[in-house]
Amino acid sequence: MRLFVFAENKGIEHRVSVTPNVCEKLALNHEISIEKGAGEMAGFDDFSYKSSGGKISSKENIEHADVIFSINPLERDNIKLLKEKTILIGLQEPFNNSNNVILLRDSNITSFALDLIPRTTRAQYMDVLSSQANLAGYRAVLEAVHIFKRAIPLMMTSAGTIPAAKILVIGAGVAGLQAIATAKRLGASVSAFDVRASTKEQVESLGAKFVEIETNEKMDGVYADEMSDEYKKAQESKLRTVIQSQDIIITTAQIPEKKAPIIIKKDMVETMKSGSIIVDLASKTGGNCELTKHGEIVEKNGIKIVSFDNILNRIPFDASKLFAKNVFAFFELLVQKMSDQPEISKIDDDIIKSTLLTYNGKILNERIEKICQLSKH
Ligand code: NAD
């Protein structure tokens, strides 16, 4: 097959979907072209792709490709360059990108949305959401520490004692757990909380303190759904007290396919100490702090509420490496399944089925099809 690695829009994305070491593996069985400069922002120059068996190519050649790899959804003008039945593999943001999904359908593109990879053990190697969230959690702590004007670990010196900084992590999913681990390594006094009761053990195993909410309601599933009003009240009242003493707060709470819950209200921020930092990793879906502005640093009474357009642009080398490995695992599975069943929509595999978004002029995911229909009205 002829593969093509798309160069992302450098204004918003510094990662690349295929790195030279993955290019080398793909080149063993396929012809692979890399759009000129595709890896440069992530630290992979054209030469390293060439010496890994890739061909450096211009965007015009995208029309000859059988398979395109990208990180972000392709812009409309780029989708229009693709020939029918091209296979497109990348994040498609299908729940809030109906116009693109409709264009992919109408252009007869076979698109796979890596955003829809099932969160199962078998799919772990392909789970771009986890690999990227992990690095985002790590980087969020470093960004906060960088802005913070004080030291993090307890230091006892002849000139006096510096107390350990207090870091609170809200949401102990993939990003949150990595944020906890990073903050612990830096020597902070770390506490964390999540609505899922099962996270208590994970938080404590990292050496952090779990913030308990006094309520009879217990959530034990893998994902948090929206909480009852009673739980929200108890959570707010507990957090009001905890937040006042924190130096840094990293928020990561998300509800799949919905707006992120507001956990830190404006008046709660006002009770924090001047110099404290909140890094809101949930800003793309609205944010966990009422004052968050996506991609901006907001300052209120000396407290900084920080959010990034794309925090992974601050660690693009490793983020690309992990993304590329996930993509490679997914592509290998697809190729292997296609050798038995070339009709992609008939492949009997839960990972392929969950991610196949458009095929043969149709949207195959029922929920997304409904959203696309509604968006037309
Ligand atoms: P996420 O990004 O959707 O949410 C982050 C965290 O926010 C979650 O832990 C969630 O419980 C929490 N949260 C939601 N509302 C909250 C609120 N009001 N207050 C406090 N916390 C709130 O989640 P994620 O990190 O993608 O993963 C969540 C779970 O799925 C984890 O248990 C993770 O281990 C599991 N998972 C499994 C796999 C796999 O098996 N392959 C892959 C990824 C994740």
Side-chain angles (χ1 to χ4, degrees):
M1 281 199 268
R2 280 167 300 180
L3 318 181
F4 188 94
V5 180
F6 185 76
E8 308 288 321
N9 175 347
K10 291 190 173 61
I12 55 170
E13 185 60 74
H14 296 177
R15 291 171 294 168
V16 61
S17 54
V18 170
T19 50
N21 63 336
V22 165
C23 172
E24 194 173 353
K25 290 185 196 163
L26 291 169
L28 293 176
N29 299 311
H30 307 278
E31 186 187 314
I32 174 161
S33 301
I34 292 89
E35 192 179 335
K36 196 172 174 359
E40 122 194 307
M41 300 295 275
F44 307 104
D45 59 16
D46 287 347
F47 180 75
S48 58
Y49 285 101
K50 258 198 209 159
S51 44
S52 306
K55 208 171 100 189
I56 304 304
S57 177
S58 68
K59 174 128 9 287
E60 286 70 54
N61 287 328
I62 204 169
E63 60 177 325
H64 304 300
D66 302 311
V67 181
I68 314 256
F69 298 111
S70 73
I71 297 220
N72 293 296
L74 258 52
E75 284 152 10
R76 296 178 69 76
D77 287 350
N78 290 322
I79 295 177
K80 288 178 187 160
L81 297 175
L82 310 184
K83 67 171 192 272
E84 286 197 15
K85 298 196 174 174
T86 303
I87 297 176
L88 173 65
I89 300 174
L91 293 168
Q92 310 298 350
E93 299 182 6
F95 295 103
N96 47 25
N97 210 357
S98 299
N99 287 343
N100 259 35
V101 178
I102 291 168
L103 183 59
L104 290 170
R105 177 195 68 191
D106 296 346
S107 312
N108 195 5
I109 304 302
T110 302
S111 62
F112 286 96
L114 296 179
D115 336 43
L116 301 175
I117 292 234
R119 314 296 299 266
T120 56
T121 309
R122 188 177 151 250
Q124 243 167 2
Y125 295 108
M126 309 166 200
D127 187 352
V128 292
L129 295 186
S130 290
S131 73
Q132 306 300 291
N134 185 41
L135 289 175
Y138 159 78
R139 192 70 204 192
V141 174
L142 297 197
E143 295 295 338
V145 166
H146 181 65
I147 302 172
F148 191 48
K149 293 194 194 302
R150 290 177 35 200
I152 302 298
L154 167 75
M155 287 187 218
M156 291 164 99
T157 77
S158 52
T161 299
I162 299 173
K166 286 189 173 172
I167 300 187
L168 170 69
V169 177
I170 298 180
V174 180
L177 290 174
Q178 185 56 255
I180 296 168
T182 306
K184 280 299 292 179
R185 278 184 219 124
L186 291 173
S189 160
V190 187
S191 51
F193 113 98
D194 194 297
V195 283
R196 290 180 297 121
S198 55
T199 56
K200 180 177 189 297
E201 204 182 305
Q202 293 165 329
V203 167
E204 288 175 350
S205 73
L206 290 170
K209 187 171 167 274
F210 191 74
V211 177
E212 307 267 5
I213 308 294
E214 280 119 41
T215 164
N216 294 328
E217 201 171 335
K218 282 268 178 289
M219 293 277 303
D220 263 325
V222 174
Y223 293 106
D225 218 323
E226 273 185 298
M227 308 307 303
S228 71
D229 287 343
E230 188 209 335
Y231 183 93
K232 281 184 193 156
K233 252 192 207 161
Q235 174 182 303
E236 186 180 320
S237 135
K238 179 74 184 189
L239 281 182
R240 268 186 190 283
T241 326
V242 174
I243 276 172
Q244 292 171 19
S245 60
Q246 300 303 316
D247 296 303
I248 293 174
I249 304 179
I250 311 287
T251 69
T252 73
Q254 306 258 21
I255 302 169
E257 295 164 37
K258 290 192 181 154
K259 207 173 164 294
I262 295 281
I263 298 172
I264 306 177
K265 293 189 173 156
K266 185 169 168 261
D267 62 331
M268 290 157 89
V269 175
E270 283 162 4
T271 67
M272 291 175 72
K273 293 173 289 182
S274 175
S276 307
I277 315 279
I278 299 174
V279 176
D280 193 340
L281 281 188
S283 60
K284 200 168 178 188
T285 51
N288 295 141
C289 175
E290 204 175 351
L291 293 174
T292 297
K293 284 202 179 134
H294 183 56
E296 290 183 27
I297 298 182
V298 176
E299 194 156 350
K300 176 90 187 164
N301 303 342
I303 298 136
K304 288 196 173 88
I305 301 107
V306 182
S307 114
F308 299 94
D309 274 334
N310 184 357
I311 195 166
L312 296 160
N313 280 351
R314 288 163 185 257
I315 183 164
F317 183 90
D318 285 322
S320 303
K321 261 173 66 179
L322 299 189
F323 194 101
K325 281 197 176 160
N326 294 147
V327 162
F328 180 68
F330 178 81
F331 182 63
E332 283 241 292
L333 173 76
L334 179 63
V335 171
Q336 185 216 322
K337 296 286 172 184
M338 278 172 73
S339 64
D340 294 336
Q341 172 55 274
E343 175 96 30
I344 292 178
S345 62
K346 290 196 180 141
I347 293 175
D348 189 20
D349 181 281
D350 68 316
I351 299 175
I352 305 291
K353 276 197 170 127
S354 326
T355 49
L356 184 56
L357 182 62
T358 57
Y359 181 73
N360 219 0
K362 290 198 178 86
I363 298 170
L364 295 193
N365 181 302
E366 273 178 35
R367 275 180 308 150
I368 293 160
E369 158 93 276
K370 257 189 207 145
I371 295 172
C372 288
Q373 275 176 6
L374 288 173
S375 77
K376 281 196 285 185
H377 301 300

